[in-house]
Amino acid sequence: MIDLRSDTVTKPSAAMREAMAAAPVGDDVYGDDPTVNSLEERVANLFGMEAALFTPTGSLANQLAIRMLVAPGEELLCETTSHIARAELGAAAVFSGITTRTWPSKRGLLRAEDPLAIAHPNAGPYLVSTTAIAIENTHNFGGGTVQSINEITRLRSESQAMGIALHLDGARIWNAHVASGVPLKNFGAKVDTLSVCLSKGLGAPVGSLMISTKERIARARVWRKRYGGGMRQIGILAAAGHYALDHNITRLAQDHHRAKEIATACHAIAPSTIDPATVDTNIVALDISGSKISAAQFATQAKEKGLLLSALGPHFVRLVTHLDIDDRQTEEASAILTELLQSAFVA
Ligand SMILES: Cc1ncc(COP(=O)(O)O)c(C=O)c1O
């Protein structure tokens, strides 16, 4: 089976497992785990921010971050198809009493004027006050799209002037960095809080971090424990994160190249499904609305031929390249897709 459902399906390599086995550990709830401490310091430094907090998931890192920015009854603005709005199962409302309001965008791409147009800080006693805006880079459901650093900069300066905080869901910030060449520190300089994942694309089995000021991270540490996320000898997980940062960032360019190849093969048969020029990173978002079958049927047919992919909407098929996919599998996947699209669109 060629598994292109997500870049989270990777298995830790033998060398990563060795690094995990050899990691010095301690009780992280007591702050005693040297490998976690060094990972938190390293990641904070990578983004030029003061401090970081290791979390088991990107969702928890996002939720802790927005909780630090938005009080109960206040509002967080998100893009309509953002992970926070669509895929965290209402956590902001359930755990933090935060209301969310969304702005739509094409392929998840940020235009600073869109969130600014609906922002309403200090709204008084009748309307909900906007306290923070969340952006996503790369944008997952938008098709791995890379946000323009100019738009982020513009949003930052105008929202800051309005007293509104900015959170960046950077689950795949590494892909954005490799694809755009924008230094990681430039992202850190534009936001109040940031979440990053080591388990998507970088190959770690687990692990994300929330990054911000020392003060917010100290408060988030209390909330992490309260949510049941206080973990003990997790240096073995942090060691996988160190290994991932050492070895698996620059190679993301290969994933991006392979995603483009897959998109090009699909475009050749069914041009309406995707424009390869829109594939910025490792995600191929196919729109099969012009075909005779649904995304779910397409996924079933692909599986029968040995290819796993995600059906994320009635006509939305997503394929994600990752470090367990090589050139031969890329070619095989392209051949299977060519065959399927031929019968769904042409035959
Ligand atoms: C953009 C984005 N943010 C956050 C997450 C959440 O990560 P996790 O699955 O580790 O909770 C994901 C997961 O796919 C994601 O794509």
Side-chain angles (χ1 to χ4, degrees), residues 107 109 138-139 142-146 175 179 253-267 273-286 319-321:
R107 297 193 292 120
L109 285 171
T138 65
H139 196 294
T145 41
V146 174
N175 299 82
Q254 293 173 35
D255 297 345
H256 300 174
H257 182 71
R258 290 177 181 135
K260 188 84 94 177
E261 277 186 23
I262 290 171
T264 305
C266 294
H267 179 81
T273 56
I274 189 153
D275 174 357
T278 62
V279 177
D280 291 343
T281 57
N282 65 330
I283 299 180
V284 180
L286 292 184
L319 302 110
V320 189
T321 55

Side-chain angles (χ1 to χ4, degrees), residues 182-201:
V182 172
L184 294 173
K185 281 197 167 61
N186 290 20
F187 297 114
K190 306 284 177 233
V191 297
D192 297 290
T193 55
L194 174 64
S195 65
V196 300
C197 292
L198 305 165
S199 57
K200 298 172 186 70

Side-chain angles (χ1 to χ4, degrees), residues 57-59 62 83 88 136 138 140 169 171-172 197 199-200 208:
T57 64
S59 299
N62 275 338
H83 195 275
E88 294 182 12
E136 189 172 308
T138 65
N140 178 0
D169 176 351
R172 294 184 182 80
C197 292
S199 57
K200 298 172 186 70
S208 295

Side-chain angles (χ1 to χ4, degrees), residues 62-202:
N62 275 338
Q63 291 304 321
L64 289 171
I66 62 181
R67 174 159 204 128
M68 295 309 111
L69 301 176
V70 187
E74 294 176 349
E75 178 178 79
L76 174 76
L77 302 181
C78 311
E79 195 277 332
T80 312
T81 61
S82 64
H83 195 275
I84 289 176
R86 290 283 294 132
E88 294 182 12
L89 309 180
V94 172
F95 297 127
S96 305
I98 295 171
T99 69
T100 42
R101 199 150 52 96
T102 59
W103 77 88
S105 81
K106 215 171 156 201
R107 297 193 292 120
L109 285 171
L110 174 69
R111 296 185 319 155
E113 59 265 36
D114 293 339
L116 291 169
I118 61 168
H120 196 159
N122 308 313
Y126 297 112
L127 298 172
V128 181
S129 293
T130 309
T131 338
I133 297 171
I135 57 174
E136 189 172 308
N137 196 17
T138 65
H139 196 294
N140 178 0
F141 296 137
T145 41
V146 174
Q147 308 297 1
S148 144
I149 191 70
N150 292 338
E151 288 301 307
I152 297 176
T153 305
R154 216 151 61 79
L155 177 62
R156 174 55 162 181
S157 65
E158 298 201 24
S159 57
Q160 203 171 29
M162 294 164 87
I164 296 172
L166 191 57
H167 170 67
L168 169 56
D169 176 351
R172 294 184 182 80
I173 196 72
W174 324 106
N175 299 82
H177 160 65
V178 167
S180 65
V182 172
L184 294 173
K185 281 197 167 61
N186 290 20
F187 297 114
K190 306 284 177 233
V191 297
D192 297 290
T193 55
L194 174 64
S195 65
V196 300
C197 292
L198 305 165
S199 57
K200 298 172 186 70
L202 298 193

Side-chain angles (χ1 to χ4, degrees), residues 12-42:
S13 64
M16 181 180 275
R17 285 169 192 252
E18 266 175 43
M20 294 169 77
V25 296
D27 188 329
D28 183 54
V29 172
Y30 288 94
D32 282 351
D33 193 304
T35 314
V36 175
N37 293 342
S38 63
L39 181 70
E40 289 176 345
E41 199 180 323
R42 177 180 182 179

Side-chain angles (χ1 to χ4, degrees), residues 276-311:
T278 62
V279 177
D280 291 343
T281 57
N282 65 330
I283 299 180
V284 180
L286 292 184
D287 172 6
I288 62 160
S289 51
S291 86
K292 302 166 202 150
I293 57 173
S294 68
Q297 288 168 321
F298 193 85
T300 305
Q301 291 181 6
K303 190 173 177 184
E304 281 161 11
K305 293 186 185 297
L307 174 63
L308 296 177
L309 44 78
S310 298

